[in-house]
Amino acid sequence: MADSLVRRRRPARGGPDADADAAPRRTRPGLRIAVVGVVALVAVLAVLTYDIGPEVGSRGFWLVVEFRVVSVVTLVLVGICQAVATVVFQTATSNRILTPSIMGFEAMYVLMQTALVFFLGAEAMAATDGVLKVFVQSALMVGLATLLYSWLFAGRRGDLHTTLLVGVVLGLGFASLSTFMQRLLTPGEFDVLAARLFGNLSNSDEDYLPYAWVVVAVALALLWRRRHRLDVLGLGRDSATSLGLSHKREVLVALVLTAVLISVSTTLVGPLTFLGFVVAILSYQLAGSAEHRFVLPFASLLGIAMLAVGYFVLHHVFYAGGLLSVVLELGGGLFFLIYLLRRGTL
Amino acid sequence: MIEVRDVVKEYAGTRVLGPVDLTLPAGGVTALVGPNGAGKSTLLGIVGRLLPATRGSVSIDGHDVASTPSSALAKVVAILRQENHFVTRLTVRQLVSFGRFPHSRGRLTAADHEVVDRALGFLDLTDLQERFLDSLSGGQRQRAYVAMVLAQDTDYLLLDEPLNNLDMRHAVAIMTQLRRAADELGKTVVVVVHDVNFASAYADHVVAMRDGLVVQSGPPLELMTEERLGEVFDTPVQVRRDGPYPVAVYYR
């Protein structure tokens, strides 16, 4: 991507051996954000306007654009949610491996959907559709996730390995329970359910979008106000406490906001396990600064850009629109494995 | 003044510290010494409010550690733990700038930058300030951490084994700088050291601990006898008094 343009190393001042170690004095995080921003904008505009049958500017043209706007708005929202949630989650938990999704968050969503069909039938799924259901769903997810994460991370036993194990086992447990219930569904009910569970940008509910924007905007505003505190939080419990942060409270707030963002994203398009991870890791490498006031916008724009480019390529190059989440999961999963193997440790 | 009253720390019913009653004077360098597992780090952690005490209370300059808001306490006391592992990749200057957080809440003013510059200069880090921490040697990194707590500009500095893994030269440099911080900047420095000879050479006040209890508290000369050291460390020690300060010889 165009990021490589700004990755050139500046000539180091002071000695030939200072070369590799000296941080470039000006890594220009602002410029880097602008570059990703342009890429994201171009990709989004391409998704919006490429290959429209009717002439540009005609009534037909605008109709198609209007039709595509829902997908694009969803895409932007999901990109921001996944990116910001993952970065904040990793800062709050002082780790660079775990993401909310790997911790079984989205398995919880699948379980909820399955349970709904299992206990109340496919008609219930359709009958209860609406903004209220979305809210109840999100509230449940946020509540459960907050309980789980605060117990795991803020508690005394907060070590990474235990947490990872518990998270993965819970995720597996949720998934098995879902599979079990799915086995007992009639084929018709299963069909209705499966359509919901595939991550798909056209899954999103138009009526819900404005509310989603409000919720996400509030969460983002709260996080932005805390951007300096997040920097300190990233130093870990002891240093953050010594610097006067109430560590437990800040972690809890960060995790609740993470849960809110992920629940919005999941409710909109279903589970996306690795997108956040890939975006976060690339952002740390490319943003040019570890400060959240740079990393958060950079990651958001990168998330949008990746989703938009992926969407565009799949729609207009491979003609396989529904497969975006599958490709993201495959690519993201591979990236995750390679990163883990290259690092060699947790 | 740091006052420790009847402090006890238990893990799952097992007592690892206390009861400890201790008064540390304001000003100067106080060294905490003792064998492994004596509870030095635990005590320091409780004083620096990183660990909650099971029982008892600690006050620093009249601020009760358990009830004073963490943000207010951060302007009175700074603590540096033994292991510092950051997931974020920081330059020396970025790290030291974090020391200003209690005062600036992240928005550094010109005055804050000045304090950071002074802390960097004080620890000879000015030339290294744009280097990333992971590209530094252990001694340089340790100095950067000390610079961060210095930049916090608190009256009290608590350091847990800052000499860990340092060679002679760097260990001496750190202790000299802590001594200077006490003498020139009027700080109260409390430092856990492994080697009693550093305590003997640099400290005004030594607290010896063993099995979770304070066994001696006073000027270093009182501790630096063959009998007392033998008791505290449970190992035969010779004390040589032919230099500027007593030296314990225990190597063989």
Side-chain angles (χ1 to χ4, degrees), chain B residues 18-33:
Chain B
V20 171
D21 272 284
L22 189 64
T23 303
L24 299 178
V29 175
T30 298
L32 283 178
V33 299

Side-chain angles (χ1 to χ4, degrees), chain A residues 23 96 235 237-238 241-242, chain B residues 49-50 79 81 130 152:
Chain A
R96 289 277 165 94
L235 297 180
R237 188 179 161 276
D238 287 349
T241 308
S242 176
Chain B
R49 53 100 166 71
L50 297 183
I79 177 165
R81 291 307 291 265
E130 298 298 334
Q152 205 173 327

Side-chain angles (χ1 to χ4, degrees), chain B residues 28-107:
Chain B
V29 175
T30 298
L32 283 178
V33 299
N36 294 337
K40 306 172 302 256
S41 297
T42 308
L43 178 61
L44 200 77
I46 291 172
V47 173
R49 53 100 166 71
L50 297 183
L51 292 173
T54 310
R55 201 178 79 201
S57 67
V58 176
S59 75
I60 302 177
D61 251 1
H63 305 276
D64 181 64
V65 164
S67 61
T68 310
S70 191
S71 53
L73 217 48
K75 295 177 186 171
V76 180
V77 59
I79 177 165
L80 179 66
R81 291 307 291 265
Q82 220 175 107
E83 285 136 35
N84 292 284
H85 165 75
F86 302 136
V87 288
T88 32
R89 194 156 184 258
L90 299 169
T91 64
V92 173
R93 191 179 179 86
Q94 280 173 331
L95 177 78
V96 177
S97 301
F98 273 119
R100 298 309 296 162
F101 181 79
H103 307 273
S104 65
R105 308 305 289 176
R107 282 169 234 270

